[in-house]
Amino acid sequence: MSSDRLLAHADLLRSGKPTFTAWVTTASPLAADLLAREDFDSVTLDMQHGLHTQQTIMDGIAYAALAGKPALVRVQVDDFAFASRALDYGAMGVIAPMVNSVADARRLVAFTKYPPLGERSFGPVRALPMLGMTGQQYIERANRATVAIAMIETQAAIDALDDILAVEGIDGVFVGPSDLSISLFNGAKVDQGAAEVKAALAHVVERARAHGKFATAFTMTGESAAAHARMGYAMSTLCNDIYLLQVGARAELKAARGAAGQQGKGGY
Ligand code: 3PY
Ligand code: MG
């Protein structure tokens, strides 16, 4: 297996060319494997709201690599120690939720980048064999080849957006539309499609590009992912593996029964 595609992924995101990631929620390395073998550009394993354990994250990264695809890991809120560990497991990037301030962004960088950018501790025990590298080769490339992505999903994060983007070592941002809507509406509703969220999405990608960084986002469907790509988003989801399973099952059941189904309903 060539590691070139894994090592090139960060620069692909920086290029701004639209990419699509398979969002894996189930604690199943098999789901990571199967989706990695589809035409996705990467696989993202969700440790925050997904059902994963550290073991299934480690295995999912390896399965994605076996299929030649880079894996990203979304860690839990404030779990910067696991951000380092996910990179040691061979993840090519980390998505950190609820990065609401410059202090949060600096902590993310501290745990995901080696000096001089951060303070990541050395021990990429799984990454080295996976990438076919020596420790010296890894340290020379890791800060550029792995990405630290800060989630923008509150009003506070929007207010601090330029300062977060200015933190050296933050490679890009990832918009979480559910939490962002909850924050913008002060808890009154969750509405990823609200006009206010759409305006924020346009603002985030514009500011990210102004800082020479990339914007990525969670989106619910292939159609919304395409719309994000047209806006300049470098990576979008097509909801998650559970949704894809539901949509596929509903479509086939509808065909089988020849009666009303609930095609396309899903997500959360
Ligand atoms: C959000 O929409 O808040 C997310 O975190 C997407 O996973
Ligand atoms: Mg969120």
Side-chain angles (χ1 to χ4, degrees), residues 48-49 74 98 151 153 176 179:
Q48 184 192 13
H49 296 299
R74 177 167 71 172
M98 295 285 175
M151 282 195 72
E153 50 182 351
D179 278 313

PDB file of all heavy atoms in Angstrom, residues 48-49 74 98 151 153 176 179, ligand 2:
ATOM      1  N   GLN A  48     -16.682  11.787  19.104  1.00  0.00           N
ATOM      2  CA  GLN A  48     -17.474  12.671  19.981  1.00  0.00           C
ATOM      3  C   GLN A  48     -18.894  12.135  20.159  1.00  0.00           C
ATOM      4  O   GLN A  48     -19.312  11.849  21.269  1.00  0.00           O
ATOM      5  CB  GLN A  48     -17.536  14.108  19.424  1.00  0.00           C
ATOM      6  CG  GLN A  48     -18.267  15.056  20.385  1.00  0.00           C
ATOM      7  CD  GLN A  48     -18.618  16.416  19.774  1.00  0.00           C
ATOM      8  OE1 GLN A  48     -18.542  16.610  18.556  1.00  0.00           O
ATOM      9  NE2 GLN A  48     -19.020  17.343  20.611  1.00  0.00           N
ATOM     10  N   HIS A  49     -19.624  12.029  19.058  1.00  0.00           N
ATOM     11  CA  HIS A  49     -21.002  11.534  19.158  1.00  0.00           C
ATOM     12  C   HIS A  49     -21.132  10.128  18.592  1.00  0.00           C
ATOM     13  O   HIS A  49     -22.190   9.511  18.711  1.00  0.00           O
ATOM     14  CB  HIS A  49     -21.955  12.478  18.427  1.00  0.00           C
ATOM     15  CG  HIS A  49     -22.022  13.847  19.029  1.00  0.00           C
ATOM     16  ND1 HIS A  49     -22.441  14.064  20.327  1.00  0.00           N
ATOM     17  CD2 HIS A  49     -21.710  15.067  18.535  1.00  0.00           C
ATOM     18  CE1 HIS A  49     -22.381  15.367  20.591  1.00  0.00           C
ATOM     19  NE2 HIS A  49     -21.940  15.993  19.518  1.00  0.00           N
ATOM     20  N   ARG A  74     -12.608  12.795  14.719  1.00  0.00           N
ATOM     21  CA  ARG A  74     -13.186  13.855  15.552  1.00  0.00           C
ATOM     22  C   ARG A  74     -13.111  13.389  16.997  1.00  0.00           C
ATOM     23  O   ARG A  74     -13.679  12.362  17.348  1.00  0.00           O
ATOM     24  CB  ARG A  74     -14.627  14.186  15.193  1.00  0.00           C
ATOM     25  CG  ARG A  74     -15.120  15.271  16.198  1.00  0.00           C
ATOM     26  CD  ARG A  74     -16.385  15.934  15.808  1.00  0.00           C
ATOM     27  NE  ARG A  74     -17.548  15.095  15.925  1.00  0.00           N
ATOM     28  CZ  ARG A  74     -18.786  15.561  15.770  1.00  0.00           C
ATOM     29  NH1 ARG A  74     -18.980  16.836  15.508  1.00  0.00           N
ATOM     30  NH2 ARG A  74     -19.813  14.752  15.864  1.00  0.00           N
ATOM     31  N   MET A  98     -16.127  22.331  19.420  1.00  0.00           N
ATOM     32  CA  MET A  98     -16.282  23.427  20.367  1.00  0.00           C
ATOM     33  C   MET A  98     -14.987  24.203  20.627  1.00  0.00           C
ATOM     34  O   MET A  98     -14.624  24.462  21.772  1.00  0.00           O
ATOM     35  CB  MET A  98     -16.841  22.895  21.704  1.00  0.00           C
ATOM     36  CG  MET A  98     -18.248  22.336  21.590  1.00  0.00           C
ATOM     37  SD  MET A  98     -19.454  23.695  21.441  1.00  0.00           S
ATOM     38  CE  MET A  98     -20.971  22.780  21.170  1.00  0.00           C
ATOM     39  N   MET A 151     -13.409  23.131  15.214  1.00  0.00           N
ATOM     40  CA  MET A 151     -14.842  23.229  14.897  1.00  0.00           C
ATOM     41  C   MET A 151     -15.384  24.585  15.315  1.00  0.00           C
ATOM     42  O   MET A 151     -15.166  25.060  16.426  1.00  0.00           O
ATOM     43  CB  MET A 151     -15.629  22.099  15.571  1.00  0.00           C
ATOM     44  CG  MET A 151     -15.467  20.794  14.820  1.00  0.00           C
ATOM     45  SD  MET A 151     -16.679  19.539  15.292  1.00  0.00           S
ATOM     46  CE  MET A 151     -18.169  20.201  14.550  1.00  0.00           C
ATOM     47  N   GLU A 153     -18.784  26.188  15.940  1.00  0.00           N
ATOM     48  CA  GLU A 153     -20.172  25.743  16.107  1.00  0.00           C
ATOM     49  C   GLU A 153     -20.893  26.465  17.239  1.00  0.00           C
ATOM     50  O   GLU A 153     -21.856  25.939  17.789  1.00  0.00           O
ATOM     51  CB  GLU A 153     -20.241  24.220  16.267  1.00  0.00           C
ATOM     52  CG  GLU A 153     -19.315  23.604  17.283  1.00  0.00           C
ATOM     53  CD  GLU A 153     -19.425  22.070  17.331  1.00  0.00           C
ATOM     54  OE1 GLU A 153     -20.316  21.471  16.713  1.00  0.00           O
ATOM     55  OE2 GLU A 153     -18.583  21.466  18.022  1.00  0.00           O
ATOM     56  N   GLY A 176     -20.006  22.934  12.448  1.00  0.00           N
ATOM     57  CA  GLY A 176     -21.010  21.997  12.947  1.00  0.00           C
ATOM     58  C   GLY A 176     -22.358  22.712  12.945  1.00  0.00           C
ATOM     59  O   GLY A 176     -22.652  23.499  13.847  1.00  0.00           O
ATOM     60  N   ASP A 179     -24.984  22.304  16.239  1.00  0.00           N
ATOM     61  CA  ASP A 179     -24.643  23.092  17.428  1.00  0.00           C
ATOM     62  C   ASP A 179     -24.658  24.583  17.129  1.00  0.00           C
ATOM     63  O   ASP A 179     -25.053  25.382  17.983  1.00  0.00           O
ATOM     64  CB  ASP A 179     -23.273  22.662  17.973  1.00  0.00           C
ATOM     65  CG  ASP A 179     -23.394  21.415  18.831  1.00  0.00           C
ATOM     66  OD1 ASP A 179     -24.290  21.372  19.687  1.00  0.00           O
ATOM     67  OD2 ASP A 179     -22.611  20.474  18.624  1.00  0.00           O
TER      68      ASP A 179
HETATM   69 MG    MG B   2     -21.468  19.716  17.080  1.00  0.00          MG
END
